[in-house]
Amino acid sequence: MQTDTMSSAPQTLMAPDLSWQQDALCAQAGPEFFFPAPGSSTREAKQLCGACEGRVACLEYALRHDERFGVWGGLSEKERIKLKRRQG
């Protein structure tokens, strides 16, 4: 009979996978582009996100880590809050 040694192993915290950031289009723009002043447009940031291959991973990261500010994965703060509410 084989025992499960993984269940008795201590749980370790793993650093989040941020490899998507290396090729993300946002790396080519300054942070002020994705963290505009209150009341400023987020349209340009969202357009850039829409063309980025890392968009889904970026959005998942923002939702998982409760990012409260800026445009992540093509969604603003308010849009991410609405998405989280719909997901349950």
Side-chain angles (χ1 to χ4, degrees):
M1 183 169 150
Q2 198 173 27
T3 59
D4 184 8
T5 57
M6 293 300 287
S7 62
S8 61
Q11 295 292 324
T12 58
L13 294 176
M14 294 182 62
D17 178 16
L18 301 177
S19 61
W20 55 270
Q21 289 182 343
Q22 293 174 357
D23 296 322
L25 295 178
C26 60
Q28 301 170 19
E32 64 280 349
F33 196 73
F34 295 91
F35 297 91
S40 297
S41 175
T42 58
R43 183 177 7 159
E44 292 84 9
K46 289 179 180 182
Q47 287 175 338
L48 192 59
C49 289
C52 184
E53 291 181 16
R55 187 186 69 77
V56 173
C58 177
L59 179 58
E60 288 173 352
Y61 174 88
L63 294 172
R64 196 173 330 117
H65 295 279
D66 200 26
E67 290 290 345
R68 306 241 174 153
F69 302 101
V71 175
W72 289 80
L75 298 182
S76 68
E77 302 97 332
K78 291 179 184 178
E79 292 166 331
R80 289 193 306 276
I81 290 169
K82 287 179 186 177
L83 179 61
K84 284 182 91 166
R85 285 183 186 153
R86 280 186 273 159
Q87 290 179 341

